[in-house]
Amino acid sequence: MEKYAEQTQQEFEGWEEFFNKPVDEKVNAFRSGNRIYDVIYAQQFDRAFLDYLCRLADSIRLLAKTKVGQSKLRHLLPHKRAMLYFVQPSTRTFLSFQNACHILGITTSETRGTSTSSEVKGESPEDTIRTFASYVDLIISRHPEAGFAEKTAWVLNQTDHPVPVLNGGSGPDQHPTQALLDIYTLEREFRTIGGLDGKKIAMVGDLKRGRTVRSLSYLMKNYQDIELVYVAPEIFKMKDDIKEFLDKHRIPFTETEDFESIMPDVDAIYMTRIQNEYGSDPTSEAETFPQFHLRPHHLPKIQTHCAILHPLPRRYEIDIRIDKDPRAAYWRQERCGMWIRAALIAYIFRVDDDIQDELS
Ligand code: CP
C-alpha cells in the first residue's frame, strides 16, 4: 500500500506534564470511581485485584466447560463491540483477547497493521484511536512505541466519548495483561504448595528489552517474601528503573550470568527470547546466547515443583524435548491468557458479579 504522507504530529496540551509524573500519581487518571477503567501499567494492580481476577478467571473457565455455561457467558455482553488495534506482530495476545471477547459475546473488529488504515494518508495515531472510539466500546492495542497505550487512553479521556483502552504491549516498556496471565499461571502451578508467596523466581534472557519481565517484576510487590534472580548476559541486564522499584519495595533480587548455578534454588524459571526487534545492528543481533537456554540435561538439576514459564514466542531458549516434562507450564500459560483476559474484560464491563452469581 502506497504511503501518501508522513503521519501528522499533534501536540496535546497537558500531555507532557502528565507523562513526566511518576506512575503512582498517574494511575488515578485511568480509574473510574473505585474501578480500573484503562489498563495501562502493571503498577495499577494490587493484591486484592489480582486475587479477585484469578478467581474470576477460574469461574469463567468452569462455566465454559458446559454448553449451558458457554451460552450464559455469550449472553453477558452481546451489545458490546471491541477494536483490536495490533500494529506490532502478535499471535497469542491478539488471539487470546479476540477469543476472550467472543467468549463474552462481544463482536470484534481488527487492524493488524497501519498499511490498510487511513494512517497511510497521514492521519495521526491519536485521531485513528479516536475514530475507533466512535464505533466501539473497547480498544485493545499492541504498538511498537513505548507509552502508546498510555497516551491514547489519556487523549480519549479528555474527549466527550472515551472508551476503555487495554494495553496489549507497548514497545519494550510494558505488557500488563501478560503479567496478569503470568501471575494466574504461577498461582495455579503453585496451588498445592501455598501459591506464589514465598517463592524464588528466576527471569532469564533479554531482560533489558523484554517488556514481560518488566511488568511481572512490578507485580512482585503484591506478594509476600518473593525473591528474584535476574539471569542475563551483561548487555541485556535488567534496567535500573526496575531494580530501583524492587529496592523501594524491599524485594530482594540478585543478578548473575551463571544460569546453571541457580537452577537448583528456584521455584520458577521464566525464560525469554532475545528481543531483536528493538536492535539496530542485525549482525550483533544474530547471537543466540546458548548459555541462557534450557536443555533436557538441565531437568535433573531443577526442583520437582519448579514451574517453567515463557511468554512465547520461543526460538531456541527452551528445547522442545522439555515440552513433555510436567514442569513445562508455557502451553498452559498461553491458555491462561485467554481466561484471565476474559475475566479482565468482564470486570471492565461490570458483569463480573453476574459470573460469580451463576456459580453461587
Ligand atoms: N506473549 C506475547 O505477547 O505473545 P505474542 O507476541 O504472540 O502476542
Side-chain angles (χ1 to χ4, degrees):
M1 178 72 65
E2 193 181 340
K3 191 173 172 186
Y4 304 117
E6 289 304 316
Q7 272 198 303
T8 304
Q9 305 290 317
Q10 295 169 326
E11 282 189 18
F12 293 87
E13 205 181 330
W15 163 247
E16 284 299 324
E17 190 191 338
F18 177 80
F19 178 68
N20 289 319
K21 288 182 181 172
V23 168
D24 291 354
E25 290 175 31
K26 295 197 271 190
V27 288
N28 278 342
F30 301 114
R31 290 182 76 83
S32 173
N34 63 352
R35 289 205 158 209
I36 295 172
Y37 180 77
D38 303 293
V39 173
I40 308 298
Y41 333 99
Q43 298 95 309
Q44 286 176 274
F45 311 136
D46 62 19
R47 179 67 182 261
F49 178 80
L50 292 166
D51 287 350
Y52 178 68
L53 213 66
C54 290
R55 280 201 306 279
L56 187 60
D58 278 342
S59 299
I60 293 173
R61 222 170 171 148
L62 191 60
L63 273 174
K65 282 188 193 301
T66 66
K67 257 189 185 176
V68 174
Q70 283 178 21
S71 172
K72 285 191 167 141
L73 288 166
R74 268 200 312 277
H75 282 86
L76 287 171
L77 294 166
H79 54 298
K80 296 291 183 190
R81 296 182 296 276
M83 176 72 199
L84 290 118
Y85 178 66
F86 274 60
V87 295
Q88 188 188 37
S90 166
T91 298
R92 67 221 85 235
T93 310
F94 177 83
L95 283 173
S96 60
F97 261 125
Q98 186 185 46
N99 285 288
C101 286
H102 295 171
I103 285 168
L104 299 169
I106 299 173
T107 309
T108 54
S109 313
E110 66 191 60
T111 291
R112 299 298 309 256
T114 52
S115 65
T116 54
S117 94
S118 282
E119 288 175 86
V120 291
K121 302 177 210 165
E123 187 166 43
S124 71
E126 294 83 9
D127 280 3
T128 302
I129 292 282
R130 196 165 172 178
T131 301
F132 299 152
S134 294
Y135 306 127
V136 302
D137 308 288
L138 174 69
I139 295 168
I140 305 161
S141 85
R142 156 73 62 101
H143 202 278
E145 233 177 73
F148 178 81
E150 180 185 11
K151 184 170 185 188
T152 52
W154 182 87
V155 168
L156 277 186
N157 289 343
Q158 315 295 309
T159 71
D160 58 3
H161 196 77
V163 301
V165 173
L166 307 184
N167 179 2
S170 49
D173 170 31
Q174 282 253 3
H175 198 346
T177 65
Q178 176 73 42
L180 288 178
L181 79 91
D182 294 341
I183 289 291
Y184 183 43
T185 308
L186 287 165
E187 288 282 35
R188 284 175 71 86
E189 295 297 316
F190 297 145
R191 179 175 299 202
T192 56
I193 54 168
L196 182 49
D197 291 319
K199 301 297 186 290
K200 189 167 182 174
I201 297 164
M203 298 187 190
V204 186
D206 185 349
L207 307 182
K208 182 179 175 186
R209 303 177 297 183
R211 57 193 170 200
T212 65
V213 283
R214 290 176 59 76
S215 290
L216 185 57
S217 295
Y218 282 126
L219 289 195
M220 292 301 145
K221 83 166 186 348
N222 296 298
Y223 295 87
Q224 303 286 322
D225 303 323
I226 292 286
E227 271 184 69
L228 295 180
V229 186
Y230 289 138
V231 187
E234 181 64 28
I235 54 166
F236 295 137
K237 281 174 74 175
M238 182 56 89
K239 284 187 183 169
D240 287 343
D241 61 335
I242 296 290
K243 292 190 255 180
E244 284 158 18
F245 177 88
L246 297 177
D247 284 338
K248 183 175 161 193
H249 293 278
R250 293 186 163 71
I251 301 163
F253 68 91
T254 51
E255 295 182 276
T256 180
E257 290 186 53
D258 187 354
F259 186 18
E260 285 204 21
S261 72
I262 59 91
M263 285 180 185
D265 296 334
V266 294
D267 302 293
I269 297 176
Y270 189 102
M271 300 293 295
T272 66
R273 71 178 168 87
I274 304 300
Q275 305 282 312
N276 310 78
E277 59 268 48
Y278 302 112
S280 52
D281 175 3
T283 313
S284 65
E285 292 288 341
E287 164 69 76
T288 60
F289 299 92
Q291 63 276 41
F292 299 91
H293 293 178
L294 197 61
R295 296 272 164 254
H297 72 268
H298 292 139
L299 289 175
K301 293 183 200 290
I302 68 174
Q303 302 195 63
T304 51
H305 68 267
C306 182
I308 304 167
L309 276 73
H310 192 310
L312 304 176
R314 74 173 153 189
R315 290 187 195 137
Y316 301 103
E317 311 81 58
I318 303 181
D319 192 301
I320 55 168
R321 287 170 291 179
I322 291 177
D323 291 8
K324 285 198 173 74
D325 190 283
R327 293 166 290 185
Y330 32 94
W331 297 112
R332 294 191 287 277
Q333 182 185 1
E334 71 172 14
R335 289 193 289 276
C336 280
M338 181 175 74
W339 300 116
I340 201 82
R341 286 174 172 132
L344 179 66
I345 294 165
Y347 164 89
I348 294 287
F349 286 124
R350 297 172 185 250
V351 291
D352 40 332
D353 284 346
D354 305 67
I355 291 167
Q356 303 294 29
D357 288 349
E358 282 298 337
L359 291 167
S360 59

